[in-house]
PDB file of all heavy atoms in Angstrom:
ATOM      1  N   SER A1496     -11.976  -3.808  10.112  1.00 90.00           N
ATOM      2  CA  SER A1496     -12.368  -2.671  10.930  1.00 90.00           C
ATOM      3  C   SER A1496     -11.610  -1.397  10.584  1.00 90.00           C
ATOM      4  O   SER A1496     -11.847  -0.357  11.189  1.00 90.00           O
ATOM      5  CB  SER A1496     -12.188  -2.994  12.416  1.00 90.00           C
ATOM      6  OG  SER A1496     -10.839  -3.276  12.714  1.00 90.00           O
ATOM      7  N   GLY A1497     -10.699  -1.487   9.635  1.00 91.00           N
ATOM      8  CA  GLY A1497      -9.990  -0.312   9.177  1.00 91.00           C
ATOM      9  C   GLY A1497      -8.603  -0.109   9.734  1.00 91.00           C
ATOM     10  O   GLY A1497      -7.925   0.864   9.375  1.00 91.00           O
ATOM     11  N   GLY A1498      -8.165  -0.985  10.616  1.00 96.00           N
ATOM     12  CA  GLY A1498      -6.827  -0.869  11.145  1.00 96.00           C
ATOM     13  C   GLY A1498      -5.789  -1.163  10.079  1.00 96.00           C
ATOM     14  O   GLY A1498      -5.991  -2.023   9.220  1.00 96.00           O
ATOM     15  N   THR A1499      -4.684  -0.463  10.121  1.00 97.00           N
ATOM     16  CA  THR A1499      -3.652  -0.620   9.102  1.00 97.00           C
ATOM     17  C   THR A1499      -2.305  -0.917   9.724  1.00 97.00           C
ATOM     18  O   THR A1499      -2.037  -0.594  10.879  1.00 97.00           O
ATOM     19  CB  THR A1499      -3.530   0.632   8.226  1.00 97.00           C
ATOM     20  OG1 THR A1499      -3.224   1.764   9.052  1.00 97.00           O
ATOM     21  CG2 THR A1499      -4.825   0.892   7.478  1.00 97.00           C
ATOM     22  N   ASN A1500      -1.459  -1.528   8.922  1.00 97.00           N
ATOM     23  CA  ASN A1500      -0.098  -1.838   9.322  1.00 97.00           C
ATOM     24  C   ASN A1500       0.791  -1.670   8.113  1.00 97.00           C
ATOM     25  O   ASN A1500       0.425  -2.083   7.014  1.00 97.00           O
ATOM     26  CB  ASN A1500      -0.009  -3.262   9.877  1.00 97.00           C
ATOM     27  CG  ASN A1500       1.395  -3.651  10.279  1.00 97.00           C
ATOM     28  OD1 ASN A1500       2.098  -4.343   9.538  1.00 97.00           O
ATOM     29  ND2 ASN A1500       1.815  -3.211  11.449  1.00 97.00           N
ATOM     30  N   TYR A1501       1.959  -1.076   8.314  1.00 98.00           N
ATOM     31  CA  TYR A1501       2.889  -0.817   7.222  1.00 98.00           C
ATOM     32  C   TYR A1501       4.282  -1.300   7.557  1.00 98.00           C
ATOM     33  O   TYR A1501       4.712  -1.269   8.710  1.00 98.00           O
ATOM     34  CB  TYR A1501       2.975   0.684   6.920  1.00 98.00           C
ATOM     35  CG  TYR A1501       1.694   1.311   6.446  1.00 98.00           C
ATOM     36  CD1 TYR A1501       0.804   1.875   7.351  1.00 98.00           C
ATOM     37  CD2 TYR A1501       1.381   1.347   5.093  1.00 98.00           C
ATOM     38  CE1 TYR A1501      -0.376   2.456   6.925  1.00 98.00           C
ATOM     39  CE2 TYR A1501       0.207   1.930   4.655  1.00 98.00           C
ATOM     40  CZ  TYR A1501      -0.664   2.480   5.573  1.00 98.00           C
ATOM     41  OH  TYR A1501      -1.831   3.058   5.136  1.00 98.00           O
ATOM     42  N   ALA A1502       4.987  -1.727   6.527  1.00 98.00           N
ATOM     43  CA  ALA A1502       6.404  -1.989   6.688  1.00 98.00           C
ATOM     44  C   ALA A1502       7.123  -0.678   6.983  1.00 98.00           C
ATOM     45  O   ALA A1502       6.732   0.387   6.489  1.00 98.00           O
ATOM     46  CB  ALA A1502       6.976  -2.624   5.420  1.00 98.00           C
ATOM     47  N   ASP A1503       8.166  -0.758   7.790  1.00 98.00           N
ATOM     48  CA  ASP A1503       8.899   0.452   8.145  1.00 98.00           C
ATOM     49  C   ASP A1503       9.418   1.192   6.914  1.00 98.00           C
ATOM     50  O   ASP A1503       9.481   2.424   6.900  1.00 98.00           O
ATOM     51  CB  ASP A1503      10.070   0.113   9.064  1.00 98.00           C
ATOM     52  CG  ASP A1503       9.634  -0.283  10.456  1.00 98.00           C
ATOM     53  OD1 ASP A1503       8.491   0.032  10.843  1.00 98.00           O
ATOM     54  OD2 ASP A1503      10.442  -0.904  11.174  1.00 98.00           O
ATOM     55  N   SER A1504       9.770   0.452   5.891  1.00 98.00           N
ATOM     56  CA  SER A1504      10.363   1.049   4.705  1.00 98.00           C
ATOM     57  C   SER A1504       9.399   1.907   3.898  1.00 98.00           C
ATOM     58  O   SER A1504       9.833   2.701   3.058  1.00 98.00           O
ATOM     59  CB  SER A1504      10.953  -0.034   3.803  1.00 98.00           C
ATOM     60  OG  SER A1504       9.953  -0.943   3.390  1.00 98.00           O
ATOM     61  N   VAL A1505       8.091   1.757   4.137  1.00 98.00           N
ATOM     62  CA  VAL A1505       7.116   2.507   3.352  1.00 98.00           C
ATOM     63  C   VAL A1505       6.277   3.450   4.188  1.00 98.00           C
ATOM     64  O   VAL A1505       5.455   4.191   3.631  1.00 98.00           O
ATOM     65  CB  VAL A1505       6.187   1.566   2.554  1.00 98.00           C
ATOM     66  CG1 VAL A1505       7.004   0.595   1.715  1.00 98.00           C
ATOM     67  CG2 VAL A1505       5.244   0.813   3.486  1.00 98.00           C
ATOM     68  N   LYS A1506       6.460   3.446   5.491  1.00 98.00           N
ATOM     69  CA  LYS A1506       5.680   4.326   6.355  1.00 98.00           C
ATOM     70  C   LYS A1506       5.872   5.784   5.959  1.00 98.00           C
ATOM     71  O   LYS A1506       6.994   6.233   5.718  1.00 98.00           O
ATOM     72  CB  LYS A1506       6.079   4.130   7.821  1.00 98.00           C
ATOM     73  CG  LYS A1506       5.588   2.837   8.430  1.00 98.00           C
ATOM     74  CD  LYS A1506       6.006   2.716   9.886  1.00 98.00           C
ATOM     75  CE  LYS A1506       5.485   1.433  10.503  1.00 98.00           C
ATOM     76  NZ  LYS A1506       5.932   1.270  11.911  1.00 98.00           N
ATOM     77  N   GLY A1507       4.772   6.497   5.893  1.00 98.00           N
ATOM     78  CA  GLY A1507       4.810   7.894   5.519  1.00 98.00           C
ATOM     79  C   GLY A1507       4.778   8.134   4.033  1.00 98.00           C
ATOM     80  O   GLY A1507       4.601   9.278   3.596  1.00 98.00           O
ATOM     81  N   ARG A1508       4.948   7.081   3.243  1.00 98.00           N
ATOM     82  CA  ARG A1508       4.948   7.217   1.790  1.00 98.00           C
ATOM     83  C   ARG A1508       3.784   6.484   1.133  1.00 98.00           C
ATOM     84  O   ARG A1508       3.237   6.958   0.140  1.00 98.00           O
ATOM     85  CB  ARG A1508       6.261   6.700   1.203  1.00 98.00           C
ATOM     86  CG  ARG A1508       7.496   7.434   1.705  1.00 98.00           C
ATOM     87  CD  ARG A1508       8.740   7.019   0.931  1.00 98.00           C
ATOM     88  NE  ARG A1508       9.040   5.601   1.104  1.00 98.00           N
ATOM     89  CZ  ARG A1508       9.070   4.712   0.098  1.00 98.00           C
ATOM     90  NH1 ARG A1508       8.804   5.105  -1.146  1.00 98.00           N
ATOM     91  NH2 ARG A1508       9.370   3.445   0.338  1.00 98.00           N
ATOM     92  N   PHE A1509       3.427   5.326   1.675  1.00 98.00           N
ATOM     93  CA  PHE A1509       2.356   4.509   1.102  1.00 98.00           C
ATOM     94  C   PHE A1509       1.121   4.569   1.991  1.00 98.00           C
ATOM     95  O   PHE A1509       1.234   4.668   3.221  1.00 98.00           O
ATOM     96  CB  PHE A1509       2.784   3.047   0.982  1.00 98.00           C
ATOM     97  CG  PHE A1509       3.863   2.780  -0.038  1.00 98.00           C
ATOM     98  CD1 PHE A1509       4.552   3.802  -0.666  1.00 98.00           C
ATOM     99  CD2 PHE A1509       4.181   1.467  -0.361  1.00 98.00           C
ATOM    100  CE1 PHE A1509       5.542   3.546  -1.598  1.00 98.00           C
ATOM    101  CE2 PHE A1509       5.175   1.195  -1.290  1.00 98.00           C
ATOM    102  CZ  PHE A1509       5.852   2.227  -1.909  1.00 98.00           C
ATOM    103  N   THR A1510      -0.034   4.473   1.372  1.00 98.00           N
ATOM    104  CA  THR A1510      -1.298   4.445   2.093  1.00 98.00           C
ATOM    105  C   THR A1510      -2.177   3.331   1.544  1.00 98.00           C
ATOM    106  O   THR A1510      -2.425   3.275   0.339  1.00 98.00           O
ATOM    107  CB  THR A1510      -2.042   5.780   1.979  1.00 98.00           C
ATOM    108  OG1 THR A1510      -1.224   6.842   2.483  1.00 98.00           O
ATOM    109  CG2 THR A1510      -3.338   5.733   2.789  1.00 98.00           C
ATOM    110  N   ILE A1511      -2.633   2.460   2.422  1.00 98.00           N
ATOM    111  CA  ILE A1511      -3.532   1.391   2.024  1.00 98.00           C
ATOM    112  C   ILE A1511      -4.953   1.775   2.416  1.00 98.00           C
ATOM    113  O   ILE A1511      -5.175   2.398   3.459  1.00 98.00           O
ATOM    114  CB  ILE A1511      -3.128   0.041   2.659  1.00 98.00           C
ATOM    115  CG1 ILE A1511      -3.934  -1.108   2.053  1.00 98.00           C
ATOM    116  CG2 ILE A1511      -3.273   0.075   4.174  1.00 98.00           C
ATOM    117  CD1 ILE A1511      -3.420  -2.487   2.445  1.00 98.00           C
ATOM    118  N   SER A1512      -5.911   1.423   1.590  1.00 96.00           N
ATOM    119  CA  SER A1512      -7.297   1.752   1.870  1.00 96.00           C
ATOM    120  C   SER A1512      -8.215   0.714   1.247  1.00 96.00           C
ATOM    121  O   SER A1512      -7.826  -0.012   0.333  1.00 96.00           O
ATOM    122  CB  SER A1512      -7.652   3.153   1.353  1.00 96.00           C
ATOM    123  OG  SER A1512      -7.485   3.229  -0.052  1.00 96.00           O
ATOM    124  N   ARG A1513      -9.435   0.649   1.770  1.00 93.00           N
ATOM    125  CA  ARG A1513     -10.457  -0.238   1.244  1.00 93.00           C
ATOM    126  C   ARG A1513     -11.435   0.555   0.404  1.00 93.00           C
ATOM    127  O   ARG A1513     -11.740   1.708   0.693  1.00 93.00           O
ATOM    128  CB  ARG A1513     -11.208  -0.942   2.377  1.00 93.00           C
ATOM    129  CG  ARG A1513     -10.349  -1.879   3.223  1.00 93.00           C
ATOM    130  CD  ARG A1513     -10.130  -3.207   2.508  1.00 93.00           C
ATOM    131  NE  ARG A1513     -11.369  -3.946   2.326  1.00 93.00           N
ATOM    132  CZ  ARG A1513     -11.933  -4.733   3.243  1.00 93.00           C
ATOM    133  NH1 ARG A1513     -11.339  -4.889   4.430  1.00 93.00           N
ATOM    134  NH2 ARG A1513     -13.060  -5.363   2.982  1.00 93.00           N
ATOM    135  N   GLY A1514     -11.946  -0.088  -0.640  1.00 90.00           N
ATOM    136  CA  GLY A1514     -12.954   0.535  -1.463  1.00 90.00           C
ATOM    137  C   GLY A1514     -14.310   0.523  -0.785  1.00 90.00           C
ATOM    138  O   GLY A1514     -14.526  -0.184   0.205  1.00 90.00           O
ATOM    139  N   ASN A1515     -15.237   1.302  -1.333  1.00 81.00           N
ATOM    140  CA  ASN A1515     -16.576   1.374  -0.745  1.00 81.00           C
ATOM    141  C   ASN A1515     -17.280   0.028  -0.749  1.00 81.00           C
ATOM    142  O   ASN A1515     -18.051  -0.273   0.164  1.00 81.00           O
ATOM    143  CB  ASN A1515     -17.418   2.400  -1.499  1.00 81.00           C
ATOM    144  CG  ASN A1515     -16.949   3.815  -1.284  1.00 81.00           C
ATOM    145  OD1 ASN A1515     -16.327   4.130  -0.272  1.00 81.00           O
ATOM    146  ND2 ASN A1515     -17.254   4.689  -2.230  1.00 81.00           N
ATOM    147  N   ALA A1516     -17.019  -0.780  -1.753  1.00 79.00           N
ATOM    148  CA  ALA A1516     -17.639  -2.092  -1.849  1.00 79.00           C
ATOM    149  C   ALA A1516     -17.019  -3.112  -0.905  1.00 79.00           C
ATOM    150  O   ALA A1516     -17.540  -4.201  -0.749  1.00 79.00           O
ATOM    151  CB  ALA A1516     -17.562  -2.606  -3.288  1.00 79.00           C
ATOM    152  N   LYS A1517     -15.901  -2.775  -0.299  1.00 73.00           N
ATOM    153  CA  LYS A1517     -15.189  -3.607   0.676  1.00 73.00           C
ATOM    154  C   LYS A1517     -14.608  -4.879   0.079  1.00 73.00           C
ATOM    155  O   LYS A1517     -14.105  -5.719   0.818  1.00 73.00           O
ATOM    156  CB  LYS A1517     -16.097  -3.949   1.870  1.00 73.00           C
ATOM    157  CG  LYS A1517     -16.689  -2.741   2.577  1.00 73.00           C
ATOM    158  CD  LYS A1517     -15.607  -1.824   3.100  1.00 73.00           C
ATOM    159  CE  LYS A1517     -16.195  -0.629   3.827  1.00 73.00           C
ATOM    160  NZ  LYS A1517     -15.157   0.323   4.272  1.00 73.00           N
ATOM    161  N   ASN A1518     -14.689  -5.013  -1.217  1.00 89.00           N
ATOM    162  CA  ASN A1518     -14.021  -6.128  -1.882  1.00 89.00           C
ATOM    163  C   ASN A1518     -12.849  -5.642  -2.727  1.00 89.00           C
ATOM    164  O   ASN A1518     -12.347  -6.378  -3.572  1.00 89.00           O
ATOM    165  CB  ASN A1518     -15.008  -6.920  -2.736  1.00 89.00           C
ATOM    166  CG  ASN A1518     -15.547  -6.117  -3.907  1.00 89.00           C
ATOM    167  OD1 ASN A1518     -15.541  -4.891  -3.883  1.00 89.00           O
ATOM    168  ND2 ASN A1518     -15.997  -6.818  -4.934  1.00 89.00           N
ATOM    169  N   THR A1519     -12.452  -4.414  -2.490  1.00 94.00           N
ATOM    170  CA  THR A1519     -11.324  -3.840  -3.193  1.00 94.00           C
ATOM    171  C   THR A1519     -10.359  -3.229  -2.188  1.00 94.00           C
ATOM    172  O   THR A1519     -10.757  -2.815  -1.098  1.00 94.00           O
ATOM    173  CB  THR A1519     -11.757  -2.754  -4.196  1.00 94.00           C
ATOM    174  OG1 THR A1519     -12.510  -1.746  -3.518  1.00 94.00           O
ATOM    175  CG2 THR A1519     -12.606  -3.360  -5.303  1.00 94.00           C
ATOM    176  N   VAL A1520      -9.116  -3.195  -2.559  1.00 96.00           N
ATOM    177  CA  VAL A1520      -8.101  -2.579  -1.729  1.00 96.00           C
ATOM    178  C   VAL A1520      -7.158  -1.815  -2.639  1.00 96.00           C
ATOM    179  O   VAL A1520      -6.879  -2.246  -3.766  1.00 96.00           O
ATOM    180  CB  VAL A1520      -7.342  -3.625  -0.878  1.00 96.00           C
ATOM    181  CG1 VAL A1520      -6.589  -4.620  -1.762  1.00 96.00           C
ATOM    182  CG2 VAL A1520      -6.402  -2.952   0.104  1.00 96.00           C
ATOM    183  N   TYR A1521      -6.681  -0.678  -2.156  1.00 97.00           N
ATOM    184  CA  TYR A1521      -5.811   0.182  -2.924  1.00 97.00           C
ATOM    185  C   TYR A1521      -4.514   0.425  -2.173  1.00 97.00           C
ATOM    186  O   TYR A1521      -4.459   0.377  -0.949  1.00 97.00           O
ATOM    187  CB  TYR A1521      -6.489   1.526  -3.206  1.00 97.00           C
ATOM    188  CG  TYR A1521      -7.824   1.399  -3.890  1.00 97.00           C
ATOM    189  CD1 TYR A1521      -9.003   1.401  -3.152  1.00 97.00           C
ATOM    190  CD2 TYR A1521      -7.908   1.264  -5.271  1.00 97.00           C
ATOM    191  CE1 TYR A1521     -10.234   1.283  -3.765  1.00 97.00           C
ATOM    192  CE2 TYR A1521      -9.130   1.143  -5.896  1.00 97.00           C
ATOM    193  CZ  TYR A1521     -10.291   1.153  -5.139  1.00 97.00           C
ATOM    194  OH  TYR A1521     -11.509   1.033  -5.764  1.00 97.00           O
ATOM    195  N   LEU A1522      -3.494   0.685  -2.922  1.00 98.00           N
ATOM    196  CA  LEU A1522      -2.220   1.081  -2.340  1.00 98.00           C
ATOM    197  C   LEU A1522      -1.740   2.319  -3.080  1.00 98.00           C
ATOM    198  O   LEU A1522      -1.317   2.230  -4.235  1.00 98.00           O
ATOM    199  CB  LEU A1522      -1.185  -0.034  -2.436  1.00 98.00           C
ATOM    200  CG  LEU A1522       0.147   0.249  -1.741  1.00 98.00           C
ATOM    201  CD1 LEU A1522      -0.036   0.280  -0.217  1.00 98.00           C
ATOM    202  CD2 LEU A1522       1.195  -0.800  -2.119  1.00 98.00           C
ATOM    203  N   GLN A1523      -1.840   3.454  -2.414  1.00 98.00           N
ATOM    204  CA  GLN A1523      -1.330   4.696  -2.966  1.00 98.00           C
ATOM    205  C   GLN A1523       0.137   4.804  -2.596  1.00 98.00           C
ATOM    206  O   GLN A1523       0.481   4.831  -1.417  1.00 98.00           O
ATOM    207  CB  GLN A1523      -2.109   5.893  -2.420  1.00 98.00           C
ATOM    208  CG  GLN A1523      -1.622   7.241  -2.929  1.00 98.00           C
ATOM    209  CD  GLN A1523      -1.834   7.421  -4.410  1.00 98.00           C
ATOM    210  OE1 GLN A1523      -2.910   7.125  -4.918  1.00 98.00           O
ATOM    211  NE2 GLN A1523      -0.815   7.887  -5.108  1.00 98.00           N
ATOM    212  N   MET A1524       0.989   4.865  -3.594  1.00 98.00           N
ATOM    213  CA  MET A1524       2.426   4.895  -3.384  1.00 98.00           C
ATOM    214  C   MET A1524       2.965   6.243  -3.833  1.00 98.00           C
ATOM    215  O   MET A1524       2.933   6.568  -5.021  1.00 98.00           O
ATOM    216  CB  MET A1524       3.113   3.763  -4.146  1.00 98.00           C
ATOM    217  CG  MET A1524       2.574   2.380  -3.800  1.00 98.00           C
ATOM    218  SD  MET A1524       3.496   1.047  -4.623  1.00 98.00           S
ATOM    219  CE  MET A1524       3.065   1.382  -6.331  1.00 98.00           C
ATOM    220  N   ASN A1525       3.445   7.016  -2.886  1.00 98.00           N
ATOM    221  CA  ASN A1525       4.019   8.320  -3.158  1.00 98.00           C
ATOM    222  C   ASN A1525       5.501   8.314  -2.828  1.00 98.00           C
ATOM    223  O   ASN A1525       5.998   7.435  -2.129  1.00 98.00           O
ATOM    224  CB  ASN A1525       3.308   9.403  -2.345  1.00 98.00           C
ATOM    225  CG  ASN A1525       1.851   9.548  -2.687  1.00 98.00           C
ATOM    226  OD1 ASN A1525       1.448   9.364  -3.831  1.00 98.00           O
ATOM    227  ND2 ASN A1525       1.043   9.900  -1.683  1.00 98.00           N
ATOM    228  N   SER A1526       6.194   9.320  -3.321  1.00 98.00           N
ATOM    229  CA  SER A1526       7.631   9.454  -3.070  1.00 98.00           C
ATOM    230  C   SER A1526       8.366   8.154  -3.357  1.00 98.00           C
ATOM    231  O   SER A1526       9.173   7.676  -2.556  1.00 98.00           O
ATOM    232  CB  SER A1526       7.869   9.900  -1.625  1.00 98.00           C
ATOM    233  OG  SER A1526       7.231  11.133  -1.355  1.00 98.00           O
ATOM    234  N   LEU A1527       8.081   7.590  -4.498  1.00 98.00           N
ATOM    235  CA  LEU A1527       8.653   6.300  -4.856  1.00 98.00           C
ATOM    236  C   LEU A1527      10.169   6.354  -4.954  1.00 98.00           C
ATOM    237  O   LEU A1527      10.753   7.360  -5.367  1.00 98.00           O
ATOM    238  CB  LEU A1527       8.068   5.814  -6.174  1.00 98.00           C
ATOM    239  CG  LEU A1527       6.639   5.272  -6.092  1.00 98.00           C
ATOM    240  CD1 LEU A1527       6.025   5.176  -7.475  1.00 98.00           C
ATOM    241  CD2 LEU A1527       6.641   3.902  -5.413  1.00 98.00           C
ATOM    242  N   LYS A1528      10.778   5.253  -4.570  1.00 98.00           N
ATOM    243  CA  LYS A1528      12.222   5.090  -4.619  1.00 98.00           C
ATOM    244  C   LYS A1528      12.563   3.890  -5.491  1.00 98.00           C
ATOM    245  O   LYS A1528      11.755   2.976  -5.634  1.00 98.00           O
ATOM    246  CB  LYS A1528      12.784   4.854  -3.213  1.00 98.00           C
ATOM    247  CG  LYS A1528      12.451   5.926  -2.194  1.00 98.00           C
ATOM    248  CD  LYS A1528      12.960   5.523  -0.817  1.00 98.00           C
ATOM    249  CE  LYS A1528      12.637   6.572   0.220  1.00 98.00           C
ATOM    250  NZ  LYS A1528      13.113   6.169   1.575  1.00 98.00           N
ATOM    251  N   PRO A1529      13.759   3.865  -6.061  1.00 98.00           N
ATOM    252  CA  PRO A1529      14.154   2.682  -6.836  1.00 98.00           C
ATOM    253  C   PRO A1529      14.041   1.389  -6.032  1.00 98.00           C
ATOM    254  O   PRO A1529      13.751   0.336  -6.605  1.00 98.00           O
ATOM    255  CB  PRO A1529      15.610   2.985  -7.209  1.00 98.00           C
ATOM    256  CG  PRO A1529      15.651   4.474  -7.300  1.00 98.00           C
ATOM    257  CD  PRO A1529      14.739   4.954  -6.187  1.00 98.00           C
ATOM    258  N   ALA A1530      14.245   1.456  -4.719  1.00 97.00           N
ATOM    259  CA  ALA A1530      14.141   0.272  -3.874  1.00 97.00           C
ATOM    260  C   ALA A1530      12.720  -0.278  -3.801  1.00 97.00           C
ATOM    261  O   ALA A1530      12.520  -1.399  -3.330  1.00 97.00           O
ATOM    262  CB  ALA A1530      14.647   0.592  -2.467  1.00 97.00           C
ATOM    263  N   ASP A1531      11.746   0.498  -4.248  1.00 98.00           N
ATOM    264  CA  ASP A1531      10.368   0.021  -4.279  1.00 98.00           C
ATOM    265  C   ASP A1531      10.100  -0.881  -5.474  1.00 98.00           C
ATOM    266  O   ASP A1531       9.018  -1.467  -5.572  1.00 98.00           O
ATOM    267  CB  ASP A1531       9.392   1.199  -4.310  1.00 98.00           C
ATOM    268  CG  ASP A1531       9.456   2.045  -3.054  1.00 98.00           C
ATOM    269  OD1 ASP A1531       9.571   1.473  -1.955  1.00 98.00           O
ATOM    270  OD2 ASP A1531       9.383   3.289  -3.181  1.00 98.00           O
ATOM    271  N   THR A1532      11.036  -0.978  -6.380  1.00 98.00           N
ATOM    272  CA  THR A1532      10.873  -1.814  -7.559  1.00 98.00           C
ATOM    273  C   THR A1532      10.681  -3.267  -7.150  1.00 98.00           C
ATOM    274  O   THR A1532      11.511  -3.846  -6.450  1.00 98.00           O
ATOM    275  CB  THR A1532      12.085  -1.686  -8.482  1.00 98.00           C
ATOM    276  OG1 THR A1532      12.177  -0.347  -8.973  1.00 98.00           O
ATOM    277  CG2 THR A1532      11.970  -2.643  -9.666  1.00 98.00           C
ATOM    278  N   ALA A1533       9.577  -3.854  -7.579  1.00 98.00           N
ATOM    279  CA  ALA A1533       9.236  -5.224  -7.219  1.00 98.00           C
ATOM    280  C   ALA A1533       7.941  -5.608  -7.910  1.00 98.00           C
ATOM    281  O   ALA A1533       7.266  -4.767  -8.509  1.00 98.00           O
ATOM    282  CB  ALA A1533       9.073  -5.359  -5.703  1.00 98.00           C
ATOM    283  N   VAL A1534       7.602  -6.875  -7.804  1.00 98.00           N
ATOM    284  CA  VAL A1534       6.274  -7.323  -8.165  1.00 98.00           C
ATOM    285  C   VAL A1534       5.418  -7.232  -6.913  1.00 98.00           C
ATOM    286  O   VAL A1534       5.793  -7.753  -5.861  1.00 98.00           O
ATOM    287  CB  VAL A1534       6.269  -8.766  -8.712  1.00 98.00           C
ATOM    288  CG1 VAL A1534       4.840  -9.220  -9.012  1.00 98.00           C
ATOM    289  CG2 VAL A1534       7.126  -8.855  -9.969  1.00 98.00           C
ATOM    290  N   TYR A1535       4.299  -6.562  -7.027  1.00 98.00           N
ATOM    291  CA  TYR A1535       3.405  -6.364  -5.898  1.00 98.00           C
ATOM    292  C   TYR A1535       2.223  -7.321  -6.001  1.00 98.00           C
ATOM    293  O   TYR A1535       1.574  -7.419  -7.044  1.00 98.00           O
ATOM    294  CB  TYR A1535       2.913  -4.915  -5.855  1.00 98.00           C
ATOM    295  CG  TYR A1535       3.963  -3.953  -5.359  1.00 98.00           C
ATOM    296  CD1 TYR A1535       5.090  -3.678  -6.129  1.00 98.00           C
ATOM    297  CD2 TYR A1535       3.847  -3.341  -4.115  1.00 98.00           C
ATOM    298  CE1 TYR A1535       6.070  -2.821  -5.674  1.00 98.00           C
ATOM    299  CE2 TYR A1535       4.823  -2.477  -3.648  1.00 98.00           C
ATOM    300  CZ  TYR A1535       5.933  -2.224  -4.436  1.00 98.00           C
ATOM    301  OH  TYR A1535       6.906  -1.360  -3.973  1.00 98.00           O
ATOM    302  N   TYR A1536       1.948  -8.015  -4.900  1.00 98.00           N
ATOM    303  CA  TYR A1536       0.897  -9.015  -4.861  1.00 98.00           C
ATOM    304  C   TYR A1536      -0.194  -8.627  -3.874  1.00 98.00           C
ATOM    305  O   TYR A1536       0.096  -8.251  -2.740  1.00 98.00           O
ATOM    306  CB  TYR A1536       1.453 -10.378  -4.435  1.00 98.00           C
ATOM    307  CG  TYR A1536       2.480 -10.955  -5.373  1.00 98.00           C
ATOM    308  CD1 TYR A1536       3.830 -10.687  -5.195  1.00 98.00           C
ATOM    309  CD2 TYR A1536       2.093 -11.776  -6.423  1.00 98.00           C
ATOM    310  CE1 TYR A1536       4.778 -11.221  -6.050  1.00 98.00           C
ATOM    311  CE2 TYR A1536       3.037 -12.313  -7.280  1.00 98.00           C
ATOM    312  CZ  TYR A1536       4.373 -12.034  -7.085  1.00 98.00           C
ATOM    313  OH  TYR A1536       5.309 -12.575  -7.936  1.00 98.00           O
ATOM    314  N   CYS A1537      -1.414  -8.756  -4.300  1.00 97.00           N
ATOM    315  CA  CYS A1537      -2.553  -8.562  -3.423  1.00 97.00           C
ATOM    316  C   CYS A1537      -2.802  -9.839  -2.630  1.00 97.00           C
ATOM    317  O   CYS A1537      -2.663 -10.943  -3.159  1.00 97.00           O
ATOM    318  CB  CYS A1537      -3.785  -8.198  -4.251  1.00 97.00           C
ATOM    319  SG  CYS A1537      -5.263  -7.829  -3.285  1.00 97.00           S
ATOM    320  N   ASN A1538      -3.165  -9.684  -1.377  1.00 96.00           N
ATOM    321  CA  ASN A1538      -3.404 -10.816  -0.486  1.00 96.00           C
ATOM    322  C   ASN A1538      -4.709 -10.620   0.267  1.00 96.00           C
ATOM    323  O   ASN A1538      -5.043  -9.506   0.671  1.00 96.00           O
ATOM    324  CB  ASN A1538      -2.239 -10.957   0.500  1.00 96.00           C
ATOM    325  CG  ASN A1538      -2.520 -11.948   1.611  1.00 96.00           C
ATOM    326  OD1 ASN A1538      -2.971 -11.576   2.693  1.00 96.00           O
ATOM    327  ND2 ASN A1538      -2.257 -13.220   1.336  1.00 96.00           N
TER     328      ASN A1538
END
């Protein structure tokens, strides 16, 4: 339904969204920090 939830550490910097086909998801990551370094997994 479009509701979103973010970890406190990324609020205000990252934005999650769904694609038009609804089988895709995006994560726009801005103002990146070294602490963001990780392997990112889609779920």
Side-chain angles (χ1 to χ4, degrees):
S1496 61
T1499 58
N1500 179 260
Y1501 297 91
D1503 289 341
S1504 60
V1505 307
K1506 287 181 179 178
R1508 300 189 297 119
F1509 292 9
T1510 302
I1511 189 170
S1512 61
R1513 296 281 295 277
N1515 291 335
K1517 304 301 181 184
N1518 66 337
T1519 56
V1520 63
Y1521 305 95
L1522 185 69
Q1523 179 66 46
M1524 304 184 294
N1525 297 326
S1526 301
L1527 285 164
K1528 304 175 180 179
D1531 296 319
T1532 296
V1534 177
Y1535 285 69
Y1536 298 90
C1537 183
N1538 170 266

